[in-house]
Amino acid sequence: MRFMLLFSRQGKLRLQKWYVPLGDQEKRRLGRELVQTILGRKAKMCSFLEWRDLKVVYKRYASLYFCCAIEEQDNELITLEVIHRYVELLDKYFGSVCELDIIFNFEKAYFILDEFLLGGEAQETSKKSVLKAIEQADQLQEVRAVYLPRPLIPLISQAF
Amino acid sequence: MSPSVRLQEMIRVIRSARTQGEERGVIQRECAAIRAQFRQADNGGRSHNLAKLLYVHMLGYPAHFGQMECVRLIASPRYNEKRVGYLGAMMLLDENQDASLLITNSIKNDLAHSSQYVQSLALCTLACMGSAEMCRDLAPEIDRLLRASSSYIKKKATLCAVHIVRKVPELGELFTPAARALLAEKNHGVLHGAVILITELCERNAQTLVQFREAVPELVHIMRGLVTSGYSPEHTVAGISDPFLQVRILRLLRILGRNNDTASDAMNDLLAQVATNTDSSKTAGSAVLYETVLTVMDIKSESGLRVLAVNILGRFLLNNDRNIRYISMTSLQKIVSTDHNAVQRHRGTIVDCLKDQDASVKRRALELSLALVSAINIRSMMKELLLFLSTCPPELKSHAASGIFNAAERYSPSQRWHIDTILHVLITAGADVRDETVPNLIQLITNASQLHCYTVHKLYRALVADISQQPLVQVACWCIGEYGDSLLQGDCEETEPIQVTEDDILDALETVLQSHMSSPATRGFALTATMKLSTRITENVDRIRSIVSIYGSCMDVELQQRAVEYNALFKKYDHMRAAVLEKMPVMDRSSMGQTNGESGGGGVQELEPTKPKQPEMMVAPQPASQVCDLLDLLSDPEEPSLPGGPLGPGGAPLGPAGLMSGSAGGDLLYLLGGLELTPTPTPATAPAAVTVYDKSGVVLKLSCERPLDASQTITLTATNTSDHDVSSLTLQAAVPKNVQLQMKAPSGDSLPARSSAVVTQTVLLNNPNKVSLKMRVRLSYTSQGSPFQDTVQIDSFPTPGL
């Protein structure tokens, strides 16, 4: 995987993970253009598109778009599964996750992603193991988050 | 207030900002506070400050002042600070930043940390943004971790090794032994990483690939275990046991089995098993099946298996899920050339996909349909394609049009069908067709002589209906001009008869001439057509004459020139008019432009199909860059020897080296030439020279070197028979499009009076498309102090003497 972007329906970036070395300006430009391209697509259209020289796989869960840019030889369908697995992990961790959870706890979203994907590839195929590892890592931290806002629209149940 | 809430508080404040300006203000304040905090000593809130900065960075604001803080936090003993520090490093530092090198040492230390979560942070960061130097430094550490650590760390180390191999391929050898051993692991995460690592190693190194071919049985065994064994709830997705691992193993098998019979045989059974047993109702199953199909098509599989794979793709085509349809068409596209018949079976479904809503699916369906057109299904396919053309999105129109033309050209069952098809395309998508379509169509029409009547009727109707599609209008004008008499006769057995009067035709042409939608080329077509009609119709010749004379003062130079020439035809050369405006002979696309050597009048008529093409003007290249060519010129034995020495006074500017060799060579030849007392008889193979220009004493002769085929050499010889010297002579040549022209350096640029010396220039022509060859040569020279310029059109090239 080259990079993964999460953005809202208004085009605001909620998470970006880049696995290729690019300058800040370049990343911003690419991100903006790709976001515009995907937001311009209609609801029932294909989840795959060829954009520039990349294959892009995206899926919308409630108000968030999850978008991955993969290599030429990568399997698009399994990337859809990777995206779904990540959403499931977030859901299990936050308990019926919604966009606000990811906004206010973005660093945790990153930690979960880093426990699931490493260097752009899936490192653990068992959901249980990933969640256990995150739990134990959290326990190492002395500071705990005290207040999480109530979930509004759970992401999973409105998956398209 | 707990620091974590401070972060969330800041996020809330930023989100509640109503305007962009307000948000900027809040962020500036926060950044200032964060900067101040960074400068202070450790106060326990460092990680939260950095987290705040990372949020600000995600919104798009600059955050480079946080880089050093990341480095500091990474080195901290506290886990929460390390965690945020590493996250910051991955977000703010990339290998192009200098600060990234500073964390190499910290990573190295953390890789040997006692806590596996700290180790995992270091591995994650290295795999995400490790530069080549960092990778080289830390590769031995990674190798150590690959061999002896918990499976939690092993799986991460494996993927880290993958990143290292991608960055520094030479280090692959370091990891090969460990990778081989990892295949024996039971842990799915480690196995998954190991398969990826082996894939990378095999893709980059051919010897490693050979080595790992021996692992095929082991991989087959693992895969079989996944497919058949019991239910493992931890790894199962939608009934498929660990689809991620399965897909990866299939991909590795593909690479190992490619071009290798033994390996391919070993996996045949397994692939058949996976293909038949996998349930594809959900995406996970489809993903595995998709990968299986790709593998089957790529290795040396037996034909039964290939058929099975194509059938799976066919099943995908019928799937309701648009993604799966798209995937299957992408795969079918890859195999349509090798397994054409198998794909043909699914033609119906593919053609149905042309009507899909999604543009990407439509595109795939179009490409696949064009690849599937054959002589048998041409009629039905063309119907579908034409229907598609009328409704397709604009970005696909030109691709579809050119595809349809190619298909029609290769497989058209009859000329009439072919012409109909092209006409249909021109009517629906006229604006998107390529330029060559018009002359191609015209040539096709002239060849179908029995269809002239039918064609002109159809075109007339189309023209009257709509004059906005330029290619269509051009063809229509041309046909009406050529075959206007058939149109007037009114009856044609193949189409409904309509009553057309001469006025109607002239009205139509005049509309085209006057319309603002017509391009200049189209107007040219229309004017010439009008002119041609003067011989085909009987009553309204005066009307034609008036139209033509009006355009004699048109602003467009091309039209004006034509109009003036036509006027001349009416006035001075009226006796020639009928002959000049005769019907065109059948044009053969592949024949050379061996015209009948007519004078300029005939040239006007023959020139029409090429007129829309822009003649290329190629200025003679600087002699300095043609030093070798000049020497070629001198050494060419076929050069017709010239009276009085081959070179004029070396007036042509040459590069310093060229000057020496050029003049030296020239002197040599001059000596040789000077030995001849009489003008040397041209060698038997020297071609005859034809005078193409003769004015004010300057004579230009042209001779061809080789027979008129794709490439030939032409020599232009200029002589001065007047009493005054001519200097600064330059020749420029233009040829029709698709013909390549190369002018060699001239032998000189001055012509002394009374033919005492000549200037020769060689022109190389390459005519791969065998279009009719014409050349326009412009001479410029100075004589008696004033500059002259003239152009001559050469329509016929002399055949070389035998």
Side-chain angles (χ1 to χ4, degrees):
Chain A
M1 193 184 297
R2 301 249 182 118
F3 58 86
M4 181 189 262
L5 300 175
L6 265 69
F7 52 93
S8 71
R9 296 248 291 272
Q10 286 77 38
K12 291 201 109 132
L13 218 51
R14 299 296 176 208
L15 187 146
Q16 49 172 337
K17 188 78 187 181
W18 294 79
Y19 294 106
V20 284
L22 284 174
D24 235 6
Q25 288 278 50
E26 187 68 27
K27 282 185 198 168
R28 260 193 272 271
R29 199 175 51 85
L30 263 182
R32 247 201 321 266
E33 280 176 28
L34 185 54
V35 165
Q36 289 311 315
T37 312
I38 292 182
L39 286 177
R41 282 170 79 84
K42 293 199 279 275
K44 290 291 179 188
M45 283 175 97
C46 200
S47 277
F48 314 128
L49 66 143
E50 266 144 46
W51 181 76
R52 306 244 177 132
D53 53 340
L54 296 169
K55 288 209 284 197
V56 173
V57 178
Y58 75 95
K59 196 156 170 177
R60 196 182 123 217
Y61 287 85
S63 57
L64 264 188
Y65 282 86
F66 288 69
C67 159
C68 296
I70 58 178
E71 309 278 350
E72 188 62 41
Q73 325 90 293
D74 285 341
N75 185 326
E76 293 98 321
L77 291 170
I78 209 71
T79 314
L80 273 179
E81 282 300 310
V82 165
I83 293 178
H84 191 74
R85 175 57 66 87
Y86 182 47
V87 175
E88 282 178 335
L89 288 168
L90 289 171
D91 191 57
K92 249 317 182 1
Y93 182 83
F94 286 109
S96 227
V97 69
C98 63
E99 190 182 343
L100 281 179
D101 288 323
I102 300 184
I103 295 172
F104 281 94
N105 298 286
F106 71 95
E107 78 275 16
K108 303 236 169 55
Y110 274 103
F111 296 150
I112 297 172
L113 185 64
D114 284 337
E115 203 56 51
F116 174 46
L117 299 179
L118 198 85
E121 308 284 351
Q123 56 177 291
E124 180 57 69
T125 52
S126 149
K127 209 161 46 174
K128 212 171 70 176
S129 307
V130 177
L131 289 167
K132 199 162 91 161
I134 297 174
E135 204 183 296
Q136 298 197 327
D138 279 348
Q139 280 170 3
L140 270 190
Q141 291 197 187
E142 290 106 349
V143 181
R144 285 191 180 81
V146 286
Y147 171 70
L148 290 169
R150 292 210 47 74
L152 292 181
I153 310 167
L155 288 182
I156 287 276
S157 60
Q158 297 231 355
F160 277 65
Chain B
M1 217 180 354
S2 145
S4 159
V5 177
R6 259 210 308 253
L7 162 66
Q8 296 185 341
E9 193 56 45
M10 182 194 85
I11 296 178
R12 198 166 300 137
V13 170
I14 292 176
R15 277 171 60 83
S16 62
R18 269 177 295 248
T19 66
Q20 186 79 333
E22 210 178 310
E23 181 183 291
R24 255 201 301 270
V26 170
I27 287 180
Q28 265 170 5
R29 273 198 304 277
E30 287 292 336
C31 282
I34 293 171
R35 260 196 295 255
Q37 297 274 6
F38 283 169
R39 268 181 255 127
Q40 285 177 13
D42 178 12
N43 56 3
R46 283 186 349 182
S47 60
H48 298 287
N49 285 321
L50 186 59
K52 284 200 268 189
L53 184 60
L54 293 178
Y55 181 79
V56 165
H57 171 76
M58 193 155 62
L59 290 177
Y61 295 88
H64 40 265
F65 57 88
Q67 288 175 5
M68 285 314 292
E69 190 67 13
C70 292
V71 177
R72 254 175 263 138
L73 279 178
I74 287 175
S76 151
R78 281 188 237 150
Y79 178 71
N80 62 329
E81 291 186 347
K82 264 199 209 291
R83 216 179 186 193
V84 180
Y86 274 116
L87 179 64
M90 284 191 274
M91 282 177 75
L92 299 179
L93 297 173
D94 55 75
E95 61 180 40
N96 301 323
Q97 310 279 352
D98 300 324
S100 62
L101 286 174
L102 297 172
I103 62 175
T104 314
N105 211 26
S106 297
I107 294 184
K108 193 184 220 151
N109 292 337
D110 283 338
L111 281 177
H113 203 275
S114 50
S115 161
Q116 63 177 3
Y117 296 104
V118 174
Q119 283 179 306
S120 104
L121 287 176
L123 285 166
C124 184
T125 310
L126 182 59
C128 180
M129 44 79 69
S131 66
E133 292 99 64
M134 287 164 73
C135 289
R136 263 187 268 262
D137 268 343
L138 299 167
E141 282 296 308
I142 304 296
D143 188 49
R144 192 179 56 81
L145 288 172
L146 270 184
R147 294 165 196 278
S149 51
S150 67
S151 42
Y152 178 74
I153 292 299
K154 256 195 206 154
K155 76 186 183 206
K156 292 179 193 262
T158 328
L159 288 176
C160 210
V162 170
H163 175 84
I164 292 178
V165 169
R166 283 180 184 157
K167 268 273 175 304
V168 188
E170 301 88 57
L171 288 171
E173 288 159 16
L174 175 63
F175 296 118
T176 311
R180 186 72 182 81
L182 283 171
L183 273 185
E185 291 278 334
K186 292 280 173 269
N187 180 299
H188 281 226
V190 181
L191 208 45
H192 186 257
V195 172
I196 299 181
L197 179 59
I198 296 173
T199 313
E200 286 292 324
L201 291 172
C202 290
E203 274 177 346
R204 280 158 216 281
N205 188 326
Q207 278 144 333
T208 324
L209 177 63
V210 171
Q211 206 182 337
F212 274 107
R213 279 221 181 96
E214 295 151 34
V216 169
E218 211 174 323
L219 289 165
V220 168
H221 177 76
I222 297 173
M223 189 71 189
R224 196 162 271 142
L226 285 173
V227 174
T228 54
S229 75
Y231 179 66
S232 156
E234 219 178 291
H235 298 111
T236 307
V237 179
I240 312 288
S241 187
D242 208 339
F244 305 103
L245 183 57
Q246 285 197 33
V247 165
R248 273 296 170 179
I249 294 181
L250 285 167
R251 190 157 139 191
L252 178 56
L253 287 175
R254 180 154 85 238
I255 293 172
L256 295 176
R258 207 179 270 159
N259 291 331
N260 185 298
D261 289 319
T262 4
S264 305
D265 284 336
M267 40 180 109
N268 246 317
D269 288 340
L270 169 72
L271 292 172
Q273 194 179 9
V274 175
T276 35
N277 287 354
T278 310
D279 167 30
S280 64
S281 49
K282 290 286 172 72
T283 316
S286 304
V288 172
L289 272 183
Y290 175 46
E291 199 72 31
T292 315
V293 167
L294 288 179
T295 303
V296 165
M297 300 319 289
D298 219 9
I299 64 173
K300 291 195 179 289
S301 47
E302 46 182 56
S303 57
L305 196 51
R306 286 183 96 88
V307 169
L308 181 59
V310 176
N311 286 345
I312 291 178
L313 288 180
R315 235 176 41 227
F316 277 178
L317 270 182
L318 297 165
N319 196 308
N320 287 329
D321 188 344
R322 190 170 272 126
N323 294 335
I324 304 219
R325 285 208 297 272
Y326 179 86
I327 289 290
S328 85
M329 281 198 280
T330 316
S331 324
L332 284 171
Q333 185 76 34
K334 290 188 199 142
I335 63 174
V336 74
S337 41
T338 44
D339 294 78
H340 191 94
N341 292 332
V343 184
Q344 277 282 7
R345 249 175 265 139
H346 304 284
R347 189 166 44 89
T349 334
I350 294 172
V351 164
D352 280 336
C353 287
L354 279 173
K355 304 187 189 99
D356 198 295
Q357 299 284 351
D358 185 322
S360 343
V361 172
K362 271 201 173 84
R363 183 191 299 269
R364 285 272 172 265
L366 172 66
E367 280 169 20
L368 211 45
S369 306
L370 288 174
L372 284 177
V373 171
S374 74
I376 313 165
N377 56 30
I378 179 73
R379 280 190 198 264
S380 47
M381 285 296 276
M382 198 48 82
K383 239 190 309 219
E384 295 290 340
L385 286 170
L386 288 174
L387 196 60
F388 173 72
L389 189 64
S390 44
T391 53
C392 81
E395 60 267 10
L396 290 178
K397 267 210 159 101
S398 59
H399 187 59
S402 52
I404 289 176
F405 283 148
N406 285 340
E409 203 167 298
R410 298 219 315 259
Y411 301 114
S412 62
S414 74
Q415 278 181 325
R416 181 174 151 178
W417 182 92
H418 194 176
I419 291 179
D420 276 342
T421 312
I422 299 190
L423 282 180
H424 194 129
V425 174
L426 285 181
I427 294 173
T428 13
D432 299 293
V433 298
R434 282 202 312 262
D435 300 335
E436 297 94 70
T437 321
V438 171
N440 285 350
L441 178 56
I442 289 178
Q443 189 244 320
L444 196 63
I445 293 176
T446 45
N447 281 342
S449 39
Q450 69 280 19
L451 289 171
H452 285 169
C453 193
Y454 166 74
T455 316
V456 74
H457 271 86
K458 261 203 116 154
L459 282 170
Y460 176 75
R461 259 189 269 258
L463 184 66
V464 165
D466 171 27
I467 59 167
S468 61
Q469 307 272 43
Q470 296 305 299
L472 181 64
V473 172
Q474 286 172 5
V475 176
C477 289
W478 190 90
C479 281
I480 292 176
E482 276 293 303
Y483 311 121
D485 41 353
S486 318
L487 190 60
L488 287 170
Q489 276 165 22
D491 60 342
C492 174
E493 64 282 7
E494 302 192 26
T495 171
E496 273 176 39
I498 63 171
Q499 277 297 79
V500 183
T501 66
E502 298 179 357
D503 274 318
D504 290 333
I505 303 183
L506 289 174
D507 282 338
L509 288 174
E510 244 187 315
T511 324
V512 173
L513 270 174
Q514 289 162 355
S515 160
H516 61 275
M517 290 191 275
S518 305
S519 71
T522 315
R523 285 216 181 91
F525 268 99
L527 189 60
T528 309
T530 317
M531 189 59 196
K532 283 195 213 167
L533 282 174
S534 70
T535 48
R536 318 259 197 274
I537 64 178
T538 46
E539 292 161 30
N540 285 3
V541 183
D542 287 331
R543 186 172 167 190
I544 294 182
R545 207 180 294 205
S546 61
I547 296 176
V548 164
S549 57
I550 289 174
Y551 280 89
S553 43
C554 171
M555 291 295 285
D556 185 334
V557 175
E558 174 71 28
L559 277 182
Q560 195 188 92
Q561 178 177 357
R562 289 190 191 210
V564 165
E565 287 172 2
Y566 296 155
N567 253 330
L569 263 185
F570 267 122
K571 299 203 171 74
K572 264 173 40 178
Y573 299 99
D574 203 32
H575 53 281
M576 279 172 59
R577 190 157 51 89
V580 165
L581 298 174
E582 247 181 20
K583 284 226 176 121
M584 299 262 289
V586 172
M587 277 183 276
D588 185 9
R589 198 189 298 181
S590 58
S591 71
M592 277 305 293
Q594 183 67 333
T595 63
N596 304 324
E598 251 86 277
S599 60
V604 169
Q605 188 185 350
E606 299 254 45
L607 204 47
E608 258 119 60
T610 59
K611 268 259 159 89
K613 303 182 194 163
Q614 309 301 321
E616 299 168 30
M617 286 300 285
M618 274 198 61
V619 183
Q622 288 302 317
S625 60
Q626 298 280 350
V627 170
C628 321
D629 291 335
L630 190 61
L631 292 177
D632 277 348
L633 186 73
L634 297 173
S635 56
D636 191 349
E638 300 242 310
E639 271 298 321
S641 45
L642 313 155
L647 293 183
L654 288 173
L659 191 59
M660 292 307 297
S661 42
S663 47
D667 288 341
L668 197 58
L669 258 181
Y670 180 84
L671 284 175
L672 290 173
L675 288 175
E676 321 270 313
L677 295 174
T678 53
T680 351
T682 55
T685 50
V690 168
T691 305
V692 293
Y693 176 86
D694 185 354
K695 237 185 237 182
S696 337
V698 178
V699 176
L700 188 65
K701 289 198 174 75
L702 179 146
S703 56
C704 294
E705 221 70 75
R706 283 189 268 279
L708 290 170
D709 56 2
S711 70
Q712 57 176 17
T713 315
I714 292 178
T715 312
L716 297 164
T717 313
T719 343
N720 178 9
T721 53
S722 72
D723 286 347
H724 305 278
D725 287 357
V726 156
S727 57
S728 316
L729 173 75
T730 45
L731 296 170
Q732 289 167 311
V735 287
K737 214 191 211 180
N738 298 332
V739 178
Q740 287 139 17
L741 174 86
Q742 191 189 10
M743 293 190 82
K744 308 281 197 185
S747 59
D749 74 339
S750 49
L751 291 172
R754 292 181 215 104
S755 312
S756 41
V758 293
V759 165
T760 45
Q761 188 159 16
T762 311
V763 179
L764 295 174
L765 288 177
N766 190 16
N767 187 0
N769 294 351
K770 307 248 175 39
V771 304
S772 63
L773 198 60
K774 291 159 217 322
M775 199 157 85
R776 204 175 275 182
V777 178
R778 187 195 292 171
L779 302 96
S780 332
Y781 58 89
T782 315
S783 171
Q784 294 170 287
S786 26
F788 287 84
Q789 211 183 64
D790 212 340
T791 317
V792 61
Q793 168 103 8
I794 304 167
D795 296 318
S796 60
F797 291 88
T799 45
L802 286 168

